[in-house]
Amino acid sequence: MKISELGKSDTLHIYNSPNTSDKFISIFTTEKVRFVHHKSGKEDLLANISTHLNSFRPQFFYPEYSILNPVCIEILPLFYKIKINKSEFKYLLRNKRHRFESFSYLLVQNDILLGTKLTVHQQPDLLSKRVDLKDQNLLSFIRFNRKDSEWIYVEAIKDTWFEEPEDTASEEEKSKSPKGWIRWRKGNDILIHFRLLP
């Protein structure tokens, strides 16, 4: 869900419970995307949210780009139960503007950011030998592990975000890109980040 796609004067409400009078936070657009925390009554630009509201730290949240993709734990008849930090959950009212996307879809559509704790292994096993990624710093999804859905097979790629788009690598060079297995989730805990920026 991209907050930047909200129209003028549209508002996104996140609730403490499945009760539409129990609001936790509202995110709304005027000239800039802003928020109001209903317990404290404080209002500010979304980019400043962390200075006022330490409890609101969704995993896929880039306020400077107006992007909010909360992890959905459960789909209820009227609400999505979403994670707002590592251990707390809130509720988002279901409607046509909030599109639910499975991680199967996101894994195929987005590059995976290679964090400091993320390791690539030759086999889908944390004890197997690690793969040397050389100078690559992104991962691209290839396939799921049929036996254990918490592991995926990936290919390491070079991040050209700040470079001119130029694909000069031969097919032979591409075939030599490091490949291996990563554990992308542990139960309901997502262990990876995506590059969601356009």
Side-chain angles (χ1 to χ4, degrees), residues 119-124 143-145 151-153 180-182:
T119 54
V120 182
H121 297 265
Q122 289 183 352
Q123 300 297 326
R143 68 175 185 269
F144 287 97
N145 183 15
W151 286 83
I152 56 174
Y153 194 60
W181 294 93
I182 61 168

Side-chain angles (χ1 to χ4, degrees), residues 1-3 12 56 58-62 65-72 82-83 92 99-101 103 105-106 110 194 196-197:
M1 172 181 53
K2 289 188 178 181
I3 298 169
L12 172 74
F56 190 72
Q59 185 168 3
F60 303 102
F61 182 42
Y62 306 92
Y65 295 101
S66 298
I67 293 176
L68 169 61
N69 291 65
V71 175
C72 178
I82 61 172
K83 291 182 78 171
L92 178 66
R99 188 174 72 233
F100 174 81
E101 293 178 347
F103 276 101
Y105 174 83
L106 291 173
N110 297 280
F194 297 114
L196 294 169
L197 301 182

Side-chain angles (χ1 to χ4, degrees), residues 73-86:
I73 298 301
E74 185 180 359
I75 300 178
L76 302 172
L78 297 177
F79 289 88
Y80 294 115
K81 185 178 181 181
I82 61 172
K83 291 182 78 171
I84 62 157
N85 55 43
K86 287 186 177 181

Side-chain angles (χ1 to χ4, degrees), residues 143-161:
R143 68 175 185 269
F144 287 97
N145 183 15
R146 290 182 180 177
K147 294 182 179 179
D148 184 349
S149 63
E150 293 191 349
W151 286 83
I152 56 174
Y153 194 60
V154 295
E155 178 180 15
I157 55 177
K158 189 174 181 181
D159 188 359
T160 57
W161 181 257

